[in-house]
């Protein structure tokens, strides 16, 4: 495993998919997807990427046999090239139903709690109250905190999933998991649940909340889109940081700023930049510095290679020629999706933005949302670039100090925005072929594109119903990597705008949180209002 | 947004959940139509898509046991009859007793259930521990177990019914809200919806958590009270738990689904206000987690994946309301299931359909009739085994 060019470990195959036991290598790198689930001595379903891919102390989950690299159950994938239909299948003969049940059930789940040591008694929860809670300490969050401090607001608590907060109030890696709607007329209307590591719960009562949770890189649909080696830009950066070798020869997919970041970081290891639309001038310039060929307005038609990605087949849009590019990775940097889940939870009014193909909270010019006391800043609120992010943080901090009520000028529905690029991309791609290889529409649950299509053809409409019909979006990533594309496809098939296809309800918690942690919150939460 | 095809229907059903669709199914099977089903939301947006999927036959009242028993038979056949597989799995319901007093109470239920010819069993602590590996020894001195109870996936039941009734000519309008009724001389003559008014002489109120609203829109005061209940699901685990495990004291229930997730709920500590009808609450997450970890400590390391809520349509005696409202001829109740609609739907709606067809049914109006809560009527039946 340590035969990399610089003696670094290649991306390990730590996981098999849940239904067809397809090999999976780390994909998102930020702790959401299921591709690096492992277990430690005390915890199930730990994401190795969150632990920095340690070489010791982690074990693969127990659903692959004998190992995730060589898994006999992988035969299921070969035996069922068109998938297994658990909804319509396994119905006859009647006497076989219990047998089917026993077999299908025995394949469920990744791991079993008995395999880990009894969990340590969770540390008592951290409970505090504050004037302002800032969730996320990236560019905009930090700017907001600085502005608050400068203006004499000292009662500030910062939660961040990756970094130790700059005020030391929270020790870092504290993930906000549940931001319920505010309690009217309470001294501290917001009671935010968070999780520190995996064994401690946090309850922050706050007068006001600023959310600066940014965004993440989307996945992409094509035949074989879950092949080890396909990863998001988030993932590529994270694997590199963890000292792994994410790839040797990669293709970057995207034509904008995010793809530019990928080129700047990995220019020496990129063999192509492929984009669904035009390629921006800055990106084109950077790519030419490294002599990387550009393939603008191109479709990704499929992936070659069995257990690892070996090639990518592309075709210029509008029926251009097909080409095969040989690479061991595809880095997805075409689309960044805002982390809007907390706003959904809080009941804020949301607006579909065609420009990004996703939902953002409706905000006024100062960052106030429709929920009194809740502010949205940074890229998760629509700011583009670091300068705009910083400015949105400072503006919201000032508005908050002045006690601004939500403005009347909340972002109007964005009907004049350009038609979202990826919709046209998928329309063309689907017209091409649906391919023999599996298109994985929902990687966590191994739901195939075919299943979505069938549900749509059977007359089921809207993402909420399709989710319940197919199971898409019900897995461990909480729908982050499947729902955005599914909404676009449904919009194409149903012939109506994405807003009418809808959005799925963001159900708490935001990331899986252990029962042990949540149990510790019973006492603090049973008091009507937390005090200092 | 389409309008109803016809201007007149033989029956209009309000609510496209499992109760409404099953009622439509039984009517269509009897050749009784045309039938229109309207629902304000999308398919499975109400309690039919939000319940824990339990189907049990252990009840305190004999009539309910009979209804549940018939439903179990219907769900055993469901995959074959409807072409959609709800993965109905008969792996039993286990009621836990934490002490002798509770065990005594369960014994009383056991006798009623066994008296109906069902293979109910009284278990001691060690047999409970065998059924629930890893259970805290003090969590149960014993319990009752009925191995023919089971669990299913609620969604496929809705899909199967939806497809079946549509293929039999029933019209289902989604996203259409019933606004009220038209009547003359104490007789129903039509139903007003957001897609227009249709004439009908029979309207079934199968609106679940919204049934009280709709009855009131028809000018009828009812005893139904919608209450919010919450559920959570964990990360999928390798199968280790077969039965649905329940505890009557606090309404705790949990089971492991075919996908391996632990799914369950618990009664709220206080009655839930309805303003936050479909939201989850932090308090529930903590209360449920705490109860679950106390019963099965090994689950402490297991992550909660999501939580959601739904409405129980509660009645004062815990029994559903089935039948025509004498105050408004043609207005038929099929509601008040109190969180048990999925498990009682096949059999109870068969009776509602027969009532609409003008046939006699084996239901005592004093037990299920709409006017049983009127003052002066002694309460003859109550069903206390409510969970979640």
């Amino acid at each position: 495993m340590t035969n990399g060019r610089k003696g670094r470990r290649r991306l390990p195959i730590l996981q098999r998919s849940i239904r067809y036991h397809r090999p999976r290598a780390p994909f998102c790198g930020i702790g959401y997807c299921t591709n690096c689930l492992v277990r430690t001595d005390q915890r199930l379903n730990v994401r190795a990427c969150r632990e920095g891919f340690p070489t010791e102390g982690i074990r693969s989950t127990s659903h692959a046999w004998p190992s995730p690299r060589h898994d006999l159950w992988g035969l299921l994938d070969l035996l069922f090239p068109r998938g297994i239909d658990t909804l319509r299948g396994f119905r006859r003969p009647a006497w076989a139903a219990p047998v089917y049940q026993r077999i299908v059930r025995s394949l469920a789940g990744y791991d079993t709690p008995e395999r880990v040591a009894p969990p340590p008694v969770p540390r008592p929860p951290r409970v505090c109250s504050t004037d302002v809670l800032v969730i996320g300490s990236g560019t905009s969050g930090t700017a907001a905190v600085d502005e608050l401090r400068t203006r004499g607001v000292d009662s500030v608590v910062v939660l961040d999933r990756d970094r130790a907060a700059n005020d030391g109030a929270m020790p870092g890696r504290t993930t906000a998991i549940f931001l319920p709607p505010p309690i009217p007329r309470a001294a501290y209307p917001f009671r935010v649940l968070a999780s520190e590591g995996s064994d401690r719960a946090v309850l922050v009562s706050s007068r006001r909340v600023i959310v600066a949770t940014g965004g993440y890189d989307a996945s992409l649909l094509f035949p074989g889109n879950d092949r080890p080696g396909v990863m998001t830009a988030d993932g590529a950066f994270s694997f590199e940081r963890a000292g792994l070798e994410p790839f040797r020869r990669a293709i970057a997919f995207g034509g904008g700023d995010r793809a530019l970041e990928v080129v700047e970081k990995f220019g020496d290891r990129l063999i192509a930049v492929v984009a669904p639309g035009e390629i921006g001038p800055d990106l084109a310039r950077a790519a030419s510095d490294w002599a990387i060929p550009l393939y603008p307005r191109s479709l990704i038609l499929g992936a070659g290679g069995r257990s690892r990605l070996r090639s990518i087949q592309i075709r210029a849009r509008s029926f251009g020629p097909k080409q095969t590019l040989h690479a061991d990775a595809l880095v997805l940097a075409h689309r960044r999706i805002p982390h809007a889940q907390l706003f959904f939870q809080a009941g804020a009014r949301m607006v579909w933005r065609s420009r990004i193909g996703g939902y953002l909270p409706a905000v006024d010019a100062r960052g106030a949302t429709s929920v009194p006391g809740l502010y949205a800043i940074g890229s998760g609120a629509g700011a583009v670039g670091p300068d705009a992010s910083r400015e949105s943080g400072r503006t919201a901090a000032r508005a908050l100090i002045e006690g601004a009520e939500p403005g009347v000028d909340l972002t109007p529905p964005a009907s004049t925005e350009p038609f979202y690029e990826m919709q046209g991309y998928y329309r063309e791609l689907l017209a091409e072929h649906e391919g023999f290889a599996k298109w994985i529409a929902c990687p966590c649950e191994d739901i195939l594109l075919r299943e979505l299509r069938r549900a749509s053809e059977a007359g089921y409409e809207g993402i909420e119903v399709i989710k319940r019909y197919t199971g898409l979006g019900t897995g461990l990533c909480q729908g982050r990597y499947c729902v955005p594309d599914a909404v676009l496809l449904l919009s194409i098939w149903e012939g109506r705008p994405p807003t009418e296809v809808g959005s799925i309800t963001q159900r708490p918690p935001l990331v899986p949180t252990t029962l042990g942690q949540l149990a510790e919150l019973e006492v603090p939460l049973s008091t009507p209002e937390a005090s200092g | 947004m389409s309008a109803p095809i016809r201007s007149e229907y033989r029956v209009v059903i309000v609510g496209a959940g499992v109760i409404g669709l099953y009622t439509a199914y039984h009517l269509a099977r009897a050749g009784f139509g045309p039938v229109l089903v309207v629902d304000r939301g999308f398919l499975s947006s109400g309690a039919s898509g939000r319940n824990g999927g339990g189907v049990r036959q252990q009840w305190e009242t004999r009539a309910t046991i009979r209804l549940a028993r018939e439903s179990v038979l219907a769900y055993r056949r469901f995959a074959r009859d409807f072409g959609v597989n709800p993965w109905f799995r008969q792996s039993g319901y286990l009621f836990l007793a934490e002490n002798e007093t509770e065990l005594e109470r369960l014994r009383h239920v056991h006798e009623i259930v066994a008296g109906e010819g069902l293979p109910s069993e009284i278990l001691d602590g060690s047999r409970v521990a065998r059924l629930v590996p890893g259970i805290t020894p003090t969590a149960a001195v014993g319990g009752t177990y009925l191995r023919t109870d089971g669990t299913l996936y609620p969604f496929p039941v809705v899909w199967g019914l939806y497809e079946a009734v549509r293929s039999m000519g029933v019209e289902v309008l989604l996203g259409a809200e019933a606004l009220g009724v038209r009547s003359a001389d104490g007789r129903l003559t039509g139903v007003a919806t957001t897609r227009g008014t249709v004439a009908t002489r029979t309207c079934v109120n199968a609106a679940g958590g919204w049934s009280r609203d709709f009855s009131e829109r028809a000018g009828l005061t009812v005893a139904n009270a919608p209450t919010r209940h919450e559920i959570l699901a964990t990360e999928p685990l390798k199968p280790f738990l077969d039965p649905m495990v329940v505890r009557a004291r606090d309404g705790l229930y949990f089971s492991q689904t075919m996908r391996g997730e632990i799914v369950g709920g618990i009664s709220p500590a206080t009655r839930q206000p309805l303003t936050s009808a479909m939201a989850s609450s932090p308090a529930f997450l903590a209360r449920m987690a705490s109860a679950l970890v106390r019963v099965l400590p090994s689950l402490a390391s297991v992550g909660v994946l999501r939580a959601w809520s739904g409405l129980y349509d509660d009645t004062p005696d815990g029994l559903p309301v089935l039948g025509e409202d004498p105050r408004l001829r043609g207005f038929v109740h099929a509601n008040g299931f109190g969180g048990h609609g999925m498990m009682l739907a096949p059999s109870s709606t068969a009776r509602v359909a027969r009532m609409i067809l003008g046939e006699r049914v084996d239901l005592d109006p004093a037990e299920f009739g709409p006017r049983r809560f009127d003052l002066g009527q002694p309460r003859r039946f109550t069903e206390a085994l409510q969970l979640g």
Side-chain angles (χ1 to χ4, degrees):
Chain A
M1 281 244 261
T2 52
N3 56 351
R5 190 175 51 175
K6 296 166 189 167
R8 291 190 297 169
R9 262 198 308 162
R10 297 195 65 185
L11 272 196
I13 291 181
L14 294 168
Q15 184 60 268
R16 287 276 171 158
S17 69
I18 190 79
R19 194 179 282 200
Y20 304 112
H21 287 249
R22 292 164 70 84
R24 296 273 169 85
F27 169 77
C28 80
I30 49 176
Y32 294 135
C33 77
T34 41
N35 288 16
C36 68
L37 282 187
V38 292
R39 80 186 133 91
T40 64
D41 289 336
Q42 279 166 346
R43 177 107 166 76
L44 301 170
N45 297 345
V46 175
R47 265 92 166 181
C49 70
R50 299 294 291 165
E51 314 295 321
F53 296 101
T55 47
E56 282 168 24
I58 61 169
R59 264 162 265 172
S60 62
T61 54
S62 56
H63 78 305
W65 190 86
S67 77
R69 278 179 67 84
H70 309 281
D71 179 14
L72 274 186
W73 289 109
L75 281 174
L76 286 171
D77 192 34
L78 302 174
L79 289 174
F80 297 95
R82 299 168 68 83
I84 299 171
D85 189 347
T86 52
L87 194 57
R88 311 263 166 193
F90 304 102
R91 291 182 290 119
R92 289 168 199 283
W95 59 263
V99 182
Y100 294 147
Q101 285 188 346
R102 213 161 305 145
I103 296 170
V104 171
R105 192 158 192 256
S106 70
L107 294 174
Y110 295 105
D111 227 324
T112 168
E114 278 87 60
R115 297 220 174 206
V116 296
V121 177
R123 285 182 286 164
R126 198 185 278 279
V127 178
C128 67
S129 56
T130 179
D131 277 351
V132 186
L133 171 65
V134 180
I135 302 173
S137 62
T139 311
S140 63
T142 307
V145 171
D146 290 346
E147 185 74 19
L148 289 167
R149 293 266 157 69
T150 311
R151 289 170 179 260
V153 180
D154 292 321
S155 177
V156 180
V157 168
V158 181
L159 302 181
D160 193 280
R161 194 158 173 262
D162 300 301
R163 288 157 285 228
N166 49 7
D167 62 348
M170 289 288 158
R173 296 187 50 137
T174 301
T175 312
I177 59 163
F178 190 10
L179 169 60
I183 307 157
R185 291 178 297 279
Y188 293 96
F190 294 96
R191 304 186 81 188
V192 181
L193 262 55
S195 148
E196 179 194 319
S198 64
D199 67 341
R200 186 174 216 179
V202 176
L203 175 64
V204 185
S205 300
S206 183
R207 293 181 206 278
R208 280 149 300 183
V209 177
I210 297 180
V211 176
T213 41
Y216 64 98
D217 296 306
S219 57
L220 186 70
L221 284 171
F222 56 90
N225 57 328
D226 64 334
R227 196 79 77 226
V230 178
M231 65 186 75
T232 64
D234 288 326
F237 291 128
S238 145
F239 308 144
E240 182 81 3
R241 263 199 312 275
L244 297 177
E245 182 185 42
F247 44 74
R248 290 174 196 170
R249 291 161 53 82
I251 298 162
F253 184 70
D257 291 344
R258 189 63 169 164
L260 176 62
E261 289 175 45
V262 173
V263 169
E264 283 171 350
K265 177 87 183 169
F266 300 108
D268 59 335
R269 282 172 271 168
L270 293 181
I271 58 128
V273 174
V274 180
E278 302 305 333
I279 288 179
D282 293 344
L283 174 58
R285 216 169 299 125
S288 76
D289 289 347
W290 292 97
I292 303 168
L294 303 178
Y295 300 88
R297 294 186 51 73
S298 295
L299 305 173
I300 302 253
L301 296 182
R306 269 222 61 80
S307 59
R308 296 233 182 219
L309 187 76
R310 303 238 177 278
S311 64
I312 288 285
Q313 193 177 39
I314 66 166
R315 203 202 63 198
R317 288 178 68 176
S318 312
F319 305 100
K322 285 183 188 175
Q323 284 186 60
T324 300
L325 306 174
H326 293 277
D328 63 354
L330 176 69
V331 181
L332 302 174
H334 59 296
R335 177 183 184 193
R336 220 158 145 79
I337 297 173
H339 272 306
Q341 290 93 337
L342 289 175
F343 301 110
F344 275 112
Q345 286 182 356
R349 191 157 77 79
M350 306 297 287
V351 183
W352 172 266
R353 304 311 297 262
S354 304
R355 186 168 49 74
I356 53 158
Y359 283 93
L360 287 180
V363 288
D364 68 8
R366 302 157 308 172
T369 68
S370 66
V371 175
L374 177 64
Y375 294 79
I377 60 173
S379 59
V384 180
D387 293 338
S389 281
R390 258 188 295 274
E391 190 49 41
S392 74
R394 283 193 289 263
T395 311
R398 283 194 294 270
L400 183 149
I401 290 163
E402 288 151 16
E405 291 298 307
V408 286
D409 59 332
L410 289 179
T411 335
S415 57
T416 56
E417 283 194 0
F419 185 69
Y420 180 55
E421 172 176 85
M422 286 309 287
Q423 222 168 334
Y425 174 94
Y426 279 133
R427 185 168 289 144
E428 212 178 317
L429 182 63
L430 293 173
E432 169 93 0
H433 69 133
E434 294 201 4
F436 188 68
K438 291 190 175 87
W439 300 51
I440 307 292
C442 165
C444 301
E445 293 294 327
D446 256 3
I447 310 294
L448 308 180
L449 181 77
R450 197 192 307 272
E451 294 174 69
L452 259 62
R453 183 73 186 142
R454 222 162 19 204
S456 188
E457 280 168 358
Y460 295 97
E461 288 193 332
I463 188 71
E464 286 277 29
V465 174
I466 297 292
K467 166 192 155 188
R468 289 162 172 80
Y469 189 88
T470 60
L472 171 127
T474 59
L476 266 69
C477 85
Q478 324 272 44
R480 282 180 181 86
Y481 290 102
C482 53
V483 169
D485 279 340
V487 167
L488 294 182
L489 296 187
L490 293 179
S491 145
I492 293 169
W493 292 333
E494 294 176 12
R496 49 183 188 159
T499 43
E500 284 177 29
V501 173
S503 57
I504 66 170
T505 317
Q506 172 49 53
R507 306 202 187 282
L510 210 57
V511 291
T513 309
T514 63
L515 285 162
Q517 273 171 290
L518 292 169
E520 294 293 312
L521 282 174
E522 193 184 19
V523 173
L525 276 169
S526 62
T527 60
E529 204 177 280
S531 54
Chain B
M1 292 287 133
S2 55
I5 294 167
R6 298 162 188 275
S7 59
E8 187 174 354
Y9 291 86
R10 203 126 172 228
V11 182
V12 174
I13 297 171
V14 177
V18 66
I19 300 295
L21 291 175
Y22 241 126
T23 306
Y25 172 75
H26 290 306
L27 288 172
R29 284 259 297 200
F32 198 80
V35 174
L36 171 71
V37 183
V38 294
D39 195 293
R40 65 206 288 277
F42 55 84
L43 216 50
S44 78
S45 57
S48 297
R50 295 171 178 273
N51 63 87
V55 181
R56 73 173 144 105
Q57 306 157 93
Q58 302 181 65
W59 299 84
E60 278 190 285
T61 48
R62 290 181 195 283
T64 316
I65 294 171
R66 281 173 209 157
L67 287 176
R69 203 173 171 177
E70 229 179 283
S71 291
V72 163
L73 294 176
Y75 283 131
R76 281 174 66 107
R77 289 193 316 262
F78 193 94
R80 277 166 287 146
D81 290 353
F82 291 86
V84 178
N85 197 343
W87 292 96
F88 179 53
R89 190 166 56 95
Q90 285 181 283
S91 46
Y93 251 68
L94 172 66
F95 278 78
L96 299 181
E98 281 181 313
N99 50 48
E100 284 304 323
T101 324
E102 280 178 29
L103 194 57
E104 202 44 52
R105 209 173 91 80
L106 289 180
R107 217 168 257 144
H108 162 71
V109 178
H110 157 78
E111 270 152 29
I112 300 170
V113 175
E116 288 293 310
L118 289 164
S120 168
E121 298 166 68
I122 299 270
L123 306 187
D124 59 16
S126 65
R127 287 199 59 200
V128 167
R130 235 172 298 154
L131 277 172
V132 189
I135 190 171
T136 307
T138 52
V141 297
T144 52
Y145 177 64
L146 179 51
R147 65 168 193 274
T148 54
D149 287 348
T151 52
L152 48 66
Y153 274 128
F155 298 132
V157 173
V158 178
W159 318 139
L161 287 168
Y162 176 68
E163 290 171 14
V165 300
R166 294 217 310 172
S167 74
M168 291 189 288
V170 172
E171 207 181 318
V172 182
L173 273 188
L174 300 169
E177 186 171 352
L179 300 170
V181 299
R182 301 277 179 271
S183 62
D185 306 326
R187 176 146 232 332
L188 185 109
T189 58
V191 176
T193 78
T194 49
R195 309 274 180 84
T197 300
V198 292
T200 185
R201 288 170 70 78
T202 308
C203 172
V204 180
N205 180 358
W210 293 269
S211 73
R212 181 194 178 90
D213 273 5
F214 183 61
S215 290
E216 282 172 355
R217 286 176 181 189
L220 304 170
T221 50
V222 289
N224 301 45
T227 48
R228 186 169 66 93
H229 290 255
E230 298 183 54
I231 300 193
L232 62 75
T234 69
E235 298 168 324
L237 304 171
K238 285 277 162 213
F240 71 96
L241 177 70
D242 278 332
M244 172 78 89
V245 182
V246 299
R247 184 163 70 191
R249 171 172 65 79
D250 54 4
L252 171 74
Y253 69 96
F254 60 93
S255 70
Q256 189 176 21
T257 67
M258 285 291 290
R259 291 207 309 195
E261 301 164 334
I262 304 287
V263 171
I266 191 167
S267 298
T270 52
R271 203 184 151 86
Q272 296 294 296
L274 272 175
T275 47
S276 48
M278 285 303 180
S280 299
S281 71
F284 163 75
L285 283 177
R287 179 174 155 80
M288 178 65 191
S290 167
L292 210 46
V293 168
R294 267 179 221 156
V295 174
L296 266 178
S298 62
L299 291 182
S301 61
V302 173
V304 173
L305 207 48
R306 62 184 168 275
W308 66 95
S309 66
L311 297 179
Y312 280 19
D313 184 14
D314 283 334
T315 58
D317 56 8
L319 291 168
V321 183
L322 306 170
E324 187 178 48
D325 199 307
R327 295 167 295 180
L328 179 61
R329 309 300 293 174
F331 191 90
V332 178
H333 293 275
N335 51 51
F337 283 87
H340 305 120
M342 188 58 79
M343 59 178 88
L344 297 177
S347 52
S348 52
T349 55
R351 282 154 180 83
V352 171
R354 284 211 287 278
M355 286 191 249
I356 293 169
L357 295 169
E359 296 170 13
R360 284 182 57 85
V361 298
D362 57 347
L363 293 180
D364 183 347
E367 197 171 354
F368 296 99
R371 302 304 289 152
R372 66 182 190 267
F373 306 111
D374 287 358
L375 287 175
Q377 287 241 7
R379 203 61 62 66
R380 281 171 51 199
F381 306 93
T382 47
E383 180 54 65
L385 285 186
Q386 281 204 302
L387 301 170

